[in-house]
Amino acid sequence: MPGKLKVKIVAGRHLPVMDRASDLTDAFVEVKFGNTTFKTDVYPKSLNPQWNSEWFKFEVDDEELQDEPLQITVLDHDTYSANDAIGKVYIDIDPLLYSEAATVISGWFPIYDTIHGIRGEINVVVKVDLFNDLNRFRQSSCGVKFFCTTSIPKCYRAVVIHGFVEELVVNEDPEYQWIDRIRTPRASNEARQRLISLMSGELQRKIGLKVLEMRGNAVVGYLQCFDLEGESGLVVRAIGTACTLDKLSNTSAFLPACNSPSKEMKESPLVHPPSHGCRSTHNSPIHTATGSRLTQNFSVSVPTLIYTGMGSGSAGKEGGPFKTLLRQQTQSALEQREFPFFTLTTFPPGFLVHVGGVVSARSVKLLDRIHNPDEPETRDAWWAEIRQEIKSHAKALGCHAVVGYSESTSICEEVCILSASGTAAVLNPRFLQDGTMEGCLEQRIEEASPPGCGFCHIPYDELNMPFPAHLTYCYNCRKQKVPDVLFTTIDLPVEAIVVGKGCLIQARLCRLKKKAQAEANATSISNLLPFMEYEVHTQLMNKLKLRGMNALFGLRIQITVGENMLMGLASATGVYLAALPTPGGIQIAGKTPNDGTYEQHISHMQKKINDTIAKNKELYEINPPELPEEIIGSPIPEPRQRSRLLRSQSESSDEVTELDLSHGKKDAFVLEIDDTDAMEDVHSLLTDVPPPSGFYSCNTEIMPGINNWTPEIQMFTAVRVSRLSNINPTNQTLNKNFNDLCENLLKSLYFKLRSMVPCCLCHVNFTVALPEDELVQIAVTAVAITYDKNQALQANKAPTEKSQQRASTDNEEQLQFPLELCSDPLSSQPFSPAKEVLEGASSHTGIPAAQRATSVDYSSFADRCNSWIELIKLKAQTIRRGSIKTTTSLEKASPLAEGYLRHRSVPSGTNSTVSVVKMTPLSFLPGAKITKYLGIINMFFIRETTSLREEGGVSGFLHAFIAEVFAMVRAHVAALGGNAVVSYIMKQCVFMENPNKNQAQCLINVSGDAVVFVRESELEVLPPQPAAAAQPTGAAGDVTT
Amino acid sequence: MSSDLDVFVGNTTLIDEEVYRLWLDGHSVAEAVARRLRGGLLEREATSVAVLQSDTRDHYRTFQMLERLLHAPPRLLQQLLFQIPPERQALLVQRYYAFDEALARELLGKKLSKGTKKELDEVSARTGVGIRSCRRQFDNFKRVFKAVEELRGPLAENIQQLFLLPPSLARDYAAIVFFANSRFETGKRRLQFLSFGDFAACAQSMMAHWSQGALAPEAAEPDGDLPKSFLQDLKELKVLVTDKDLLDQHKSLVCSALRGKISVYNELEANFKALSRALVNVGGKLTHARDVRDFFVDLVEKVIEPCRSDKWSPGDLRLFLQHYTAAPRNLPGFRHQALWERYMAAISACLLRMFHD
C-alpha cells in the first residue's frame, strides 16, 4: 500500500442559488477517489459555506494514484427529492507524485458543470504521503517527470537523451454507448471527462514505465492527443522523448569548450559534378497506394514526400572519413532504437549536427470498431507503419534520426488521415548514450564544424544524392555544401546566423472532393493528398522567395478532411540564413508571348512581384552582408544553365527560356502562367498582406532578429467558424475564401493587440477543422510579446559591424570563426562545440509522374555564376538599415535587462486577492527565470448547452467556455503554487452546434507545464524569495474568503 | 463567406476603454461600430469594417459577462473567470458606477421604485442621457441603496467597501442614498438652480454632523436615517425663537458682533427675527416625514431668497452664520449649546453651499 492521499474541503464561495424559495443553498461535498467516497456535512443555507472538513484519507496503490483523478462533487442537499449536483472539480494529483514538484495542492478551484459552466468556487487542500515502493515488478512509474516543453527544461540539464517513447490506449466512447440514450447529457459528459482523465493517467503511467525501462527519469516534449473516432471508439495516444535530466544547481557548463577548427575539413576539394536539377521531381521513397485491402481494415498508404529545397547545383565533397565515422557511431547508438525520433524542437548546443530536411508521411485509414480495448493493436500497427516510413525517408536523406517529430490525425466520419512529420537530422552521439565516452574522434568532429552554419550543411552524400539538388558552398564557412533552401520542423537553433527578421509564412489550400462512402472515400482522399502536398509546398516556396528568405523553421502542415473537401494549411517561420545562398526572384512566364496585351499584363505582374520582394526585404531587414569579390569569385564555376521541370502535360516550354531575367539574373524561380488557374495562384501570392507596422509574427518560439523582449505578454485563443456559402464551389473560390478567412483572422488579431505595439506574435498556431459541410473552423492560439524598439536598434548595430568584418575575416583567415557572435552569454556555456556541418536540404520533390498534371510550370534557373557580380553590385547599392545580422545569443541576453527596467516602472498587483497566472505557448517567459517545474497540466473539458440563444449564441457560448478553460487552468496552476503555464497548447477544440434545437457542444483539450518563475529584477533584489509580492503564488493563504 | 462564430479570448482580458464607454452609454454594437468609424479608427489602424465589427462584438460579449460581476464589485476581485489587472478592475468599476449628474439630479429624493424607472423615458429626453444608460444608472442607484439600506455605520464608507468605489464617488452615492431615504423634495422650481453637487454637499454635511455615526461609530441606526432622538431634541431649540428674551438677546449679540463687518447690516437687523425663526423652525419640523420633504424648500424660501433679495454676499452670510451659531453660548439660560452647534454646523454648510445664483 504505497500511498496515502489526503483531502480537506475548506470552504465554498459564490455558489449558485439552488433553492428558489430561500435564495440560498444547502451545500455539501462528495470526495471520490477510485471507488472510495467521503462526504462532508451539509452546510445549510449559505452561498459561502465553510465546511472545514476533517482530512479525508484514501489509502491507495501508486498505480491508482497515477491513473485516477481526484473527483470533488458539490451538491445541494434536498430533503424530499434527489440531491442536485452543483458541479465538479477534477484534480490531477500527478504533480504530487514526484519529489521535486509540488508538495501540496491548495487553493480555490472553479466548480464546473458541463451544462452551466463555472458555478462558484471551492477551496480544497490535497496532500500525498508516498511510501517507498520495493516491488520490482511495479506497474506504476511514479517519479518520472513529464514536460510538454519541446526543449530541455530551463532548470535542468540533459545527461542522456534516450529517445522516442509512445503509447496509446483505446476505449469505447461513452457518448456512443447504448446507455447514452437514457442518461442525461450531463451524466454522459461527465462519464466522458472522467474516462479521458483516467485514460490519460493510464497512458502517462505506461509511458513512464517505458522511460524507466530505458533508464531515463523524464519525458520531454510530451504530446498527448485524443482521437474521437465516434462509433469506433476513443483513442488517447502520446509521444515524447525520454531523457535523463539533472536538476541544475547552478548554471554550470557541461559541455567541453572546443572551438579550434580542424584542418582536415579544408581539403574537401571542389568537385564539379554534372549539375542540373529538377525541382520537385519525385524522387525517393514514394510508396504508392498499396494498401492492404482487408475487408475490415482498409488502409491506404499515401505517397509521401521528402521535402528538400534545391534547385540544380553542384556539390563539394564533404566530410571525409570523419563524417562516416560519426555516422557509424551515431547510427549504432540509434539503431538500438526502433524509432530514432525526437519530439524536441530545440536542442542542447552541439546535439544537432546536420539537418537534412522535412520528412513526412500520411496514411488514410478506415475506422472500425475497436473490438478489444485491452489490445489496441490495429492503431498501434497503423502508427508503426507510418513511423517506419518516416524512418526510411530520413535514411534516404542520409540521416539517422528525426527531430521535431510530431503526429496528428484528422477524422471525418469513418475516414481518418494519420500524419507524421519531422526533420531528418544527424545527431551527435554523445547525448544519446549512457556514460561519457567522448573520444578524440568526437572531439575532432566537433572541431570541424563552425558554429552558426554547421547544421545547414548537407548530411547526404552529394555524389549519391537522394534527389536532384542545387548545392553551393556554405556562405558562412565556405567549406561545406549547403542547399539553396532549407525546410525544417524544428525551432531555429540558437547558434544559427540569421540576417534580418523572420516572418510567419502560410500556405493555404482547399480541394473539393466527392462525397463518398468507405473505401471509395478513402481512395479518393489518398489520391488527392499528393497533389495537396505538392501545392502546399509550391506555395510555401513561392511565398518564401517573395519574402527574399531562404529557410523555413517550425513547419507544420495540417491536412484536414471534411465531408466534401480537404483543406491544407501549412505554417512556418521564414528566415534568411546567412549560410545559405541568396534566394533568386520569381519570374513569370506567359504562355503566349506574342499577344501584346497579355505581355503587358505579365510584365505588370512581374513588376508587382519584384516590388513586393523589394518591399519585403526592406520590411524584414534582409540585407545580407556583401561578400568581397575574392570569395565570391571562387565558388563553383558553373556554366550558365537552366533547368526546368515540366509539370504540365503540355510540353510547352521553350519560348520561356528567353525571358528577360530582369531580377538580377540570379537563379530565378519561374512561374509559368498557362491558364487562369495559374493566374489565380500568382494573384493569391500577392494577397498576403504584411502585418501592420510594429507587428511581427512567427510560429516558432523565438522571433529571429528580435532580441529585446519586454515582460508584457498576452496569450490568446481566437476561434472562427465560417460558412463557405458558394452554391457551386470550385477549388479556386474555396481557396480564395479560405485565404481570406485566414488573412482576416490575422488582421483582426493585429487590430486587437494594437495597444501592445511594438510586439511580436510568437508561436502562432492555426488549427483547421471542418465540423460540417461548408463550415470551416479555425482556431488560433498564440502569444503577443512586446519588445523595445529602441534597444533593438542598438543591439543590432554591433552584430552589423561584426558581420561586416566577418566577411573579410573569413577571407583572410579561414580558420577563425567569429565565435563571439554566437556564444550565448546567458547560459555561460562555451559555445557548443559539436556543431557539425550539417545541411538541410529542402525543397520538395516527389510527385509521382502520373500525377504531374497541375497547371503551373516551374523551372529553376541556375545561372548563379553570372549573377555573383551583379549581386554584389546590387547589394553595394542597397542602403543599409540598422540591423543586418543578429544572433540568438543577443535575443536571449537582452530581455533580462529589459525586464528589469520595465518591471521597475510598473508596480504590480496590489489589492487583488486572486493570484496572477501567466500563460504562454512558449517554453520561457521574457524577463523571467523559471525556477521550478511543478508538473504537467493536461485538462479535458466538455461544455454543452440547451439554451444556446440565451447564452449569447454560438459566440457567447464559446467565448464563455474558453474563458472558463483558461480560468480552470490558472486555478490549478495557482493551487500547485505556480504562477505561470509554459508550453501551453490547445490540442483540440471540437465545436458542434444544432441551432434548430438551440443546442451546442464543445470539447477542449489543453496542456502545458505549470511553473514558478521569478522576475529577473526580483532575483537581483531579493535572491532567495521567489516571486513574492508581484506574483503571489496563489496558495490558499493568499486568498481570503 | 460569413462568420457564424467569432471569438477572441485573452488570458488577460482585453478592455478597450473607448468601447467600454460606448457600451456604458447604451449603444448597440452597430451604433458603437459607427461611432468608432467616425472616430477615424479605420484610417489610423488601416483595418476593415469587418474587423471593427468583430472586435466590438468581442468586447460587448466580455462586458455582458462582466456585468454580472460588476453588480457586486468584490466578486470581480475574487472571481477566477477573467484575469484583469487590478488597475483595470478599478477602472471597470469606477466607470460602471460613474453617473451623469443631470440624471442623478433628476432622481434625487425620488423613490427608487419601479414607478420611477418607468418615468426614465422622460428623464432621458430631458437630460439627453440615452435611455439604456439611464436604466443602468438607475439600477446602480437602486442596487447601492438596497445594499446599504440596512447597514450601520457611515454610509459612504459602507458604499466604498461594498462597491469598491473611489471615495468621492462613494460620497456621491451616499448622498443619493440619503436623499432617496429621506425623500427630500428637490424638484420644485425654486430649487432648480441647485445642482447635484450642491445637494450632494448638503447631504454630506447633514450626515457628517447629524447622523448617529457622527457621534458614536457603533451606532445602532443606519446613517441614511437621521437619528430620531436627535430630531426629537431639535424641538428644544425652538426656545431660541419662542422665548422673546432669548431672541432679543440673541439678536443683539449677533448684531453687535457684526456691526461694521458686513455690508448688509441694516437688512440683517431688520430681518434677524424672521431669519432666526426660519432657521430654527426648519429643524423643529424634521420629526415629521412630510415636513422633512420641505427641508430644502424652506431653506431656500425662507433664508436664501430673502438674503439674496437683500443683496447679501456669500461672505456676509458666512460671517452671520458664524456669529449666529456662536452667540447662544453667551445666552443665559440656554442649555442646548452642543445640540445647537451640531444642528447649525450642517445648516450653515448647506446654506453656504446653496447660496449662489
Side-chain angles (χ1 to χ4, degrees), chain A residues 644-648 650-653 852 856-859:
Chain A
R644 44 187 323 183
L645 157 77
L646 304 177
R647 279 213 298 132
S648 53
S650 58
E651 312 280 49
S652 70
S653 59
R852 291 184 211 157
V856 197
D857 194 338
Y858 293 84
S859 306

Side-chain angles (χ1 to χ4, degrees), chain B residues 142-292:
Chain B
K142 193 170 174 182
R143 191 177 315 110
V144 173
F145 179 81
K146 291 258 177 224
V148 297
E149 205 178 13
E150 307 286 317
L151 292 182
R152 296 180 203 167
L155 203 49
E157 273 174 45
N158 284 337
I159 292 172
Q160 204 179 327
Q161 222 159 54
L162 282 174
F163 292 92
L164 308 174
L165 302 179
S168 64
L169 189 55
R171 280 197 297 273
D172 283 349
Y173 267 94
I176 291 166
V177 171
F178 183 73
F179 269 82
N181 205 37
S182 306
R183 311 281 306 285
F184 293 110
E185 174 63 58
T186 64
K188 283 260 164 60
R189 192 134 48 86
R190 51 163 45 105
L191 295 183
Q192 285 309 314
F193 74 101
L194 294 170
S195 70
F196 171 79
D198 296 334
F199 282 118
C202 294
Q204 276 149 24
S205 319
M206 287 159 82
M207 279 186 284
H209 297 106
W210 293 355
S211 68
Q212 197 87 334
L215 295 181
E218 298 304 312
E221 282 175 81
D223 250 13
D225 296 331
L226 293 175
K228 290 225 168 53
S229 56
F230 171 70
L231 298 178
Q232 205 63 44
D233 290 348
L234 287 181
K235 289 189 187 298
E236 306 285 332
L237 299 176
K238 284 201 172 172
V239 72
L240 280 175
V241 287
T242 50
D243 186 319
K244 198 155 184 331
D245 286 349
L246 275 180
L247 183 58
D248 287 338
Q249 285 178 41
H250 192 183
K251 179 181 173 183
S252 68
L253 278 170
V254 173
C255 286
S256 63
L258 289 175
R259 184 168 316 185
K261 288 188 183 157
I262 57 174
S263 56
V264 287
Y265 180 74
N266 292 334
E267 291 86 344
L268 163 66
E269 206 171 17
N271 282 339
F272 181 86
K273 288 187 182 171
L275 278 177
S276 185
R277 230 173 254 129
L279 286 168
V280 172
N281 283 338
V282 162
K285 283 162 75 182
L286 286 176
T287 37
H288 303 294
R290 259 196 71 93
D291 300 332
V292 168

Side-chain angles (χ1 to χ4, degrees), chain A residues 181-193:
Chain A
R181 291 182 201 157
I182 54 168
R183 67 181 162 191
T184 62
R186 176 181 284 119
S188 157
N189 292 338
E190 284 173 1
R192 246 174 144 188
Q193 285 193 167

Side-chain angles (χ1 to χ4, degrees), chain B residues 73-90:
Chain B
R75 279 198 63 180
L76 184 68
L77 261 65
Q78 283 189 335
Q79 55 85 29
L80 305 175
L81 191 57
F82 299 99
Q83 185 157 280
I84 304 171
E87 67 276 4
R88 287 259 135 180
Q89 287 181 343

Side-chain angles (χ1 to χ4, degrees), chain A residues 714-715 717 737 752 917 970, chain B residues 1 9 11-12 55 83:
Chain A
Q714 167 71 288
M715 189 282 295
T717 292
N737 282 341
K752 290 237 174 243
V917 175
R970 288 193 302 256
Chain B
M1 186 147 85
V9 190
N11 183 37
T12 304
D55 180 64
Q83 185 157 280

Side-chain angles (χ1 to χ4, degrees), chain A residues 37-177:
Chain A
T37 306
F38 292 103
K39 280 183 193 176
T40 67
D41 297 333
V42 174
Y43 193 92
K45 307 215 177 309
S46 172
L47 298 182
N48 299 292
Q50 305 289 319
W51 292 288
N52 253 319
S53 78
E54 60 190 295
W55 285 100
F56 299 123
K57 298 187 179 99
F58 301 87
E59 295 178 340
V60 281
D61 288 341
D62 48 1
E63 186 183 339
E64 215 176 343
L65 280 173
Q66 283 191 295
D67 288 6
E68 291 275 349
L70 175 67
Q71 187 181 322
I72 293 166
T73 313
V74 186
L75 299 114
D76 175 52
H77 175 75
D78 203 325
T79 321
Y80 304 108
S81 59
N83 298 326
D84 294 324
I86 295 173
K88 285 189 187 231
V89 179
Y90 291 95
I91 301 177
D92 179 10
I93 47 169
D94 216 50
L96 295 178
L97 303 182
Y98 21 97
S99 48
E100 294 154 39
T103 52
V104 63
I105 298 177
S106 163
W108 288 101
F109 290 88
I111 302 168
Y112 181 72
D113 178 70
T114 60
I115 305 293
H116 294 107
I118 291 178
R119 306 173 95 188
E121 288 126 35
I122 184 169
N123 195 320
V124 180
V125 187
V126 185
K127 286 180 180 174
V128 172
D129 291 337
L130 270 186
F131 308 121
N132 277 337
D133 186 8
L134 302 173
N135 183 0
R136 269 193 322 125
F137 306 101
R138 61 183 191 166
Q139 287 298 299
S140 85
S141 54
C142 288
V144 174
K145 290 180 280 290
F146 284 80
F147 300 92
C148 294
T149 301
T150 56
S151 55
I152 301 303
K154 294 286 181 289
C155 41
Y156 292 90
R157 79 179 183 94
V159 183
V160 186
I161 299 176
H162 299 282
F164 192 59
V165 279
E166 47 77 30
E167 186 65 80
L168 65 80
V169 294
V170 299
N171 212 318
E172 266 186 280
D173 191 336
E175 186 105 336
Y176 294 87
Q177 285 163 343

Side-chain angles (χ1 to χ4, degrees), chain A residues 194-258:
Chain A
R194 197 182 122 71
L195 177 71
I196 287 183
S197 185
L198 256 174
M199 285 168 77
S200 41
E202 182 191 343
L203 192 70
Q204 218 170 308
R205 174 173 58 83
K206 285 185 168 170
I207 290 222
L209 280 173
K210 290 191 173 179
V211 172
L212 290 177
E213 249 168 56
M214 296 164 97
R215 287 189 288 162
N217 64 4
V219 182
V220 181
Y222 184 68
L223 178 69
Q224 190 191 66
C225 290
F226 302 97
D227 296 333
L228 300 168
E229 296 185 351
E231 290 283 338
S232 52
L234 191 61
V235 177
V236 184
R237 59 192 162 77
I239 55 175
T241 305
C243 295
T244 303
L245 297 183
D246 242 10
K247 181 120 176 136
L248 280 181
S249 47
N250 236 323
T251 44
S252 57
F254 61 96
L255 283 169
C258 70

Side-chain angles (χ1 to χ4, degrees), chain A residues 684-695:
Chain A
S684 73
L685 265 186
L686 296 167
T687 55
D688 282 11
V689 188
S693 76
F695 272 109

